[in-house]
Amino acid sequence: MLNYRLMTMDDYEAAYDLWIKCGNGLNNKDDSYEGIEKYLKRNPNTSFVAVLDEKVVGVILCGHDGRRGIVQHTCVSPDCRRMGIGKKLVDLALDALKAEGINKVLLVAFKKNEGGNAFWESQGFTIREDLNYRNKALTEMIRIDPDYLKDCL
């Protein structure tokens, strides 16, 4: 039986394992137990999991800063794709953001993630050609990204 519910810290290990399995770009600070716990405390109603036979098979980490929604670490187990799980997770997260008065949502997807980018396009997310994404780490972090690590070897 497939169920959807709010993500809790009880889901952390299963979600983290799924993020690794799906090749999500992670780091040792933001994606640690403490990092995700802080995120979910700040955004308790906007992140969801899909559970099939008591196993987490989909995750969407979503939150907002009071003005703009942010979708992060969305993935569905490769064994469960093409079942509408990703779309349902996105719909749940976007509805939760709307309920909190958020009118606009952003996300970042790796350019080489062709399947992910095709999915986001199908969900109505467009590429902004007029922006540059910039990033600055305020503390030293270790990337946990299989493709990145492979490129560094």
Side-chain angles (χ1 to χ4, degrees):
M1 175 100 125
L2 182 59
N3 293 305
Y4 298 88
R5 61 174 168 73
L6 285 170
M7 182 179 178
T8 70
M9 286 311 296
D10 291 339
D11 300 312
Y12 175 77
E13 285 186 39
Y16 188 89
D17 289 345
L18 190 55
W19 292 330
I20 291 291
K21 183 178 182 180
C22 292
N24 286 43
L26 306 175
N27 70 62
N28 68 319
K29 301 281 185 185
D30 300 325
D31 304 307
S32 67
Y33 184 93
E34 295 77 17
I36 298 299
E37 182 177 45
K38 181 170 60 171
Y39 190 91
L40 291 179
K41 280 183 181 176
R42 188 179 192 315
N43 298 283
N45 301 311
T46 52
S47 296
F48 296 87
V49 293
V51 180
L52 179 64
D53 297 327
E54 299 183 31
K55 181 180 177 189
V56 172
V57 296
V59 181
I60 187 166
L61 193 64
C62 182
H64 66 84
D65 60 9
R67 182 173 172 267
R68 179 80 34 95
I70 305 164
V71 173
Q72 302 167 316
H73 293 349
T74 304
C75 64
V76 174
S77 173
D79 302 335
C80 296
R81 292 188 180 156
R82 306 256 180 235
M83 295 171 55
I85 294 170
K87 180 180 180 355
K88 178 67 174 179
L89 288 169
V90 170
D91 290 345
L92 288 167
L94 297 183
D95 287 346
L97 290 172
K98 286 180 198 172
E100 295 197 18
I102 302 301
N103 299 309
K104 200 168 188 179
V105 182
L106 68 87
L107 65 85
V108 176
F110 289 115
K111 285 186 177 188
K112 61 185 166 187
N113 183 355
E114 292 177 17
N117 283 299
F119 171 77
W120 290 117
E121 187 76 21
S122 77
Q123 298 304 301
F125 285 79
T126 58
I127 293 177
R128 295 276 308 256
E129 301 290 346
D130 60 328
L131 298 174
N132 289 321
Y133 175 81
R134 297 189 187 271
N135 192 49
K136 181 176 181 169
L138 301 178
T139 185
E140 188 173 325
M141 291 182 267
I142 299 169
R143 283 188 60 174
I144 306 166
D145 174 351
D147 289 333
Y148 174 79
L149 295 173
K150 178 182 69 181
D151 292 342
C152 292
L153 298 178

